Amino acid sequence: MNLQHPVPGAEGPDDAAYLPRLDMRLVPAITPITAPVAKLGGTPVWLGEPSWPVAPRTGIPLDFIGQFPVPGEPGEQPRLAYLFLSYEDYETGGIDVDDAEAVLLVQPGGRTPDFAVIGPPGTTGRGLWAFDSEEEKVPVEFRIEFRPVGEEREAELEEDGVLAVDHYIGGRAAYPDWSGYESPWRFFFKLDHGHGDPYFLNFADGGGYAYLSPDRLEGRFKWEAA
């Protein structure tokens, strides 16, 4: 079942390219999630050939952040987008969208970004994690439940343009002080910095933004500090 549908006429990152906007509610997984559903953390549930990206400078596998349903037309083949980010010295990859430190893969039938470096068959890496009470890194996994944002919350745009929703998929992106990735890439979903959230992502108090190509077969991801 497709959660959103593409919007005719959307041309770039400032448009509401996929509707409706849906809030993400994170539900801790009791057991590992092995179904092709929306989630953060754990291991990817591939819909095509496993393709784990690695950091081009070191060959170290990127961290698997989560998998997200790709919007589609009714009856269209379901697809997932898989987000991978590098992590080094408390820095999360993705400040430069084309440096291969942030890779968003679409399956099945998607295109691998030409800058991405895919590890050899059998490559696996770490999943999303958090700090425990002793400041040790522990893996975390969450099922994502989607719920409509609603008209009142849609109207709650602050003066600086930050939407009063931390994690959402679809709708129009609310950027703090920038205009997103260039056209024709279209806004897909937003993840929060992680401050106060049950996982660690360092977006310097900003947000991470995912984008899809017009045919929804290729992805990009970029974060911006607040």
Side-chain angles (χ1 to χ4, degrees):
M1 176 180 179
N2 292 315
L3 294 173
Q4 303 117 318
H5 58 82
V7 178
E11 295 182 353
D14 297 302
D15 298 324
Y18 310 110
L19 291 174
R21 184 201 306 274
L22 299 171
D23 192 2
M24 299 186 198
R25 178 172 178 263
L26 307 183
V27 180
I30 305 301
T31 59
I33 297 172
T34 59
V37 298
K39 68 171 184 170
L40 292 182
T43 58
V45 182
W46 299 105
L47 294 180
E49 189 72 21
S51 302
W52 201 296
V54 301
R57 293 182 295 106
T58 64
I60 296 174
L62 305 187
D63 288 2
F64 171 65
I65 306 304
Q67 60 191 37
F68 307 85
V70 174
E73 304 287 358
E76 199 171 58
Q77 181 182 33
R79 292 188 174 94
L80 288 175
Y82 305 83
L83 177 61
F84 297 84
L85 300 176
S86 68
Y87 172 80
E88 184 177 357
D89 295 331
Y90 294 94
E91 295 289 337
T92 301
I95 192 68
D96 182 348
V97 74
D98 298 324
D99 67 0
E101 303 288 341
V103 177
L104 185 66
L105 299 175
V106 175
Q107 288 191 355
R111 294 185 299 272
T112 300
D114 57 10
F115 55 78
V117 180
I118 304 300
T123 297
T124 60
R126 181 174 59 180
L128 187 65
W129 53 273
F131 287 111
D132 66 10
S133 59
E134 298 180 355
E135 295 299 307
E136 297 291 332
K137 299 183 185 72
V138 295
V140 293
E141 186 173 14
F142 304 93
R143 177 169 48 88
I144 298 176
E145 292 183 349
F146 295 108
R147 52 190 176 185
V149 169
E151 293 183 3
E152 290 187 5
R153 295 186 76 187
E154 282 283 1
E156 291 177 357
L157 282 170
E158 302 174 5
E159 289 185 3
D160 60 2
V162 178
L163 187 71
V165 180
D166 290 331
H167 320 82
Y168 53 91
I169 187 168
R172 182 177 63 83
Y175 303 109
D177 56 6
W178 62 304
S179 59
Y181 198 39
E182 68 264 18
S183 297
W185 296 89
R186 299 168 183 179
F187 172 70
F188 180 21
F189 65 81
K190 185 243 180 179
L191 293 179
D192 197 37
H193 167 75
H195 180 69
D197 291 303
Y199 59 78
F200 180 88
L201 286 174
N202 183 8
F203 297 148
D205 291 323
Y209 298 84
Y211 303 89
L212 292 174
S213 58
D215 60 7
R216 291 165 279 123
L217 294 179
E218 190 171 341
R220 296 289 188 272
F221 185 87
K222 178 178 174 60
W223 65 263
E224 181 79 4

